[in-house]
Amino acid sequence: MPLVISTPAGLYCEAGDFHIDPWRPVSRAVITHGHGDHASWGHEHYLASRASEQVLRRRLPEAALQTIEYGEPLDINGVRVSLHPAGHVLGSAQVRLEHRGEVWVVSGDYKLQPDPTCAPFEPVRCDTFITESTFGLPIYRWRDPRDVFAEVDAWWRANQAVDRASVVYAYALGKAQRLLSSVDASIGPIYTHGAVEALNEAYRASGVALPPTQRVAELPKGHDYSRALIVAPPSAQGTPWMRRFGDLADGFASGWMQIRGVRRRKAVDRGFALSDHADWPSLLSAIAATGAQHVYVTHGYSDPLVRWLCEHGLDAQALKTEYAGEEGSEDSSFPTGDSRNDRESILDESQNGSPPSRGRR
């Protein structure tokens, strides 16, 4: 019997009688991070990392929440459970389970790039690894984030020079705070949408340093935004909320911005390819670092990653889950389900990339 199985309610550890990131109400849920498709409502008991506490208490204020430090072991019905940094957003965790000498790790969402707002990804040795694959195609290879943030700064300055407000769409949990912590705040004032500012408060309460920001809703009618950077969730695009900024340029910070067709569909002035998920080389590197011989691949481009792993000697298979991403997140923007143009764009650009050799793992 596998230590973790997929059930109608979510990933389930029968030996410990608990679920991991369940998508239907259960009695005990171990939560990897605060995005809505992983930290859902309705469970009787929640277990998560201590670093995620402020985020989860704002998103699930009535939840019966227990937190533990990264690496702190907890016995749940004979299963030794511990949480380890995933590097995705503040408090994100991989779940390590040990039972009768067998070790499994459930990754949740993760990235290997540096992020000043959360603890870095920690490789955890295991027998079986359940990995995400949001960007599981060879075409996805992220640039150095310092170069991306330098582009954002240059774009902001250029807009200032022509008295134009700069609006960046970024996912309210994680991406917005990573962006805020990395841009040059000396360029001008920074204003935020209320959805972003609520999570800024959770980050600051957790000890994460962010530059000064102010809610747009607190500013008077007719305020001059021409020198400002405004950070808003993607859902704000095209809404009446945007009219107050007058002449503006807009940009979108997301891994999907690497694809030309997706950039065109989003209809923004600039796309900044910045992701909180692992790119193709990072997925292979992370999987190799676990030492796992058995790999389950879930949400995203699971089939290409499974095929590559099998071709390189691992026992890999796809694992069906219902992680669709919370509204406006990179997961929810996964462009293969509803846009023929996006699929064709990705396939066209994928043909320019080839799977890395074994030596790159």
Side-chain angles (χ1 to χ4, degrees), residues 24-288:
R24 294 189 177 84
V26 300
S27 58
R28 180 185 286 270
V30 179
I31 302 298
T32 62
H33 64 284
H35 281 142
D37 58 328
H38 293 262
S40 57
W41 286 90
H43 312 308
E44 294 178 20
H45 183 273
Y46 293 75
L47 174 68
S49 74
R50 190 147 301 155
S52 70
E53 182 171 1
Q54 294 296 328
V55 169
L56 290 174
R57 292 207 180 280
R58 280 166 173 74
R59 310 207 99 183
L60 304 167
E62 298 179 358
L65 175 63
Q66 176 186 4
T67 62
I68 56 176
E69 298 287 354
Y70 286 133
E72 177 183 351
L74 181 69
D75 186 283
I76 304 179
N77 299 321
V79 177
R80 184 182 174 93
V81 177
S82 56
L83 306 177
H84 302 265
H88 177 55
V89 298
L90 177 62
S92 59
Q94 306 169 78
V95 183
R96 181 186 185 275
L97 307 93
E98 182 175 356
H99 182 63
R100 296 179 178 173
E102 185 178 5
V103 177
W104 286 50
V105 171
V106 179
S107 75
D109 293 337
Y110 64 95
K111 71 173 180 291
L112 272 59
Q113 281 198 324
D115 182 341
T117 67
C118 63
F121 176 88
E122 174 186 309
V124 182
R125 303 288 292 183
C126 59
D127 302 302
T128 301
F129 187 49
I130 299 178
T131 179
E132 66 131 327
S133 59
T134 302
F135 290 98
L137 282 177
I139 188 176
Y140 292 112
R141 297 166 186 270
W142 309 139
R143 299 168 55 205
D144 188 321
R146 292 172 296 185
D147 295 338
V148 178
F149 294 124
E151 285 187 359
V152 175
D153 290 341
W155 172 76
W156 183 7
R157 290 191 179 95
N159 292 331
Q160 273 189 346
V162 293
D163 295 326
R164 181 176 296 152
S166 302
V167 180
V168 175
Y169 307 115
Y171 314 115
L173 170 56
K175 185 67 60 61
Q177 292 74 35
R178 186 182 181 195
L179 181 75
L180 287 167
S181 70
S182 302
V183 297
D184 182 357
S186 69
I187 296 174
I190 302 176
Y191 303 126
T192 54
H193 187 281
V196 171
E197 194 59 30
L199 289 158
N200 287 350
E201 293 169 358
Y203 270 61
R204 290 183 176 113
S206 302
V208 177
L210 297 177
T213 56
Q214 188 172 7
R215 292 175 190 262
V216 168
E218 297 173 348
L219 298 167
K221 186 177 181 180
H223 182 79
D224 179 10
Y225 292 94
S226 62
R227 296 184 57 77
L229 179 71
I230 300 120
V231 182
S235 59
Q237 185 182 20
T239 66
W241 185 82
M242 300 288 296
R243 295 174 186 164
R244 69 193 73 196
F245 304 126
D247 188 21
L248 65 86
D250 60 356
F252 192 0
S254 167
W256 300 120
M257 291 297 101
Q258 186 167 310
I259 305 301
R260 289 191 298 270
V262 179
R263 290 198 297 271
R264 286 195 297 270
R265 182 167 67 86
K266 291 295 183 184
V268 291
D269 297 313
R270 285 290 297 270
F272 302 105
L274 180 74
S275 178
D276 286 334
H277 292 265
D279 62 2
W280 175 261
S282 295
L283 286 169
L284 302 186
S285 173
I287 293 167

Side-chain angles (χ1 to χ4, degrees), residues 336-359:
T336 60
D338 60 357
S339 170
R340 178 180 176 183
N341 289 336
D342 287 348
R343 288 197 298 272
E344 291 175 347
S345 295
I346 292 167
L347 290 172
D348 286 346
E349 296 194 27
S350 292
Q351 290 171 0
N352 295 322
S354 57
S357 66
R358 176 185 283 271

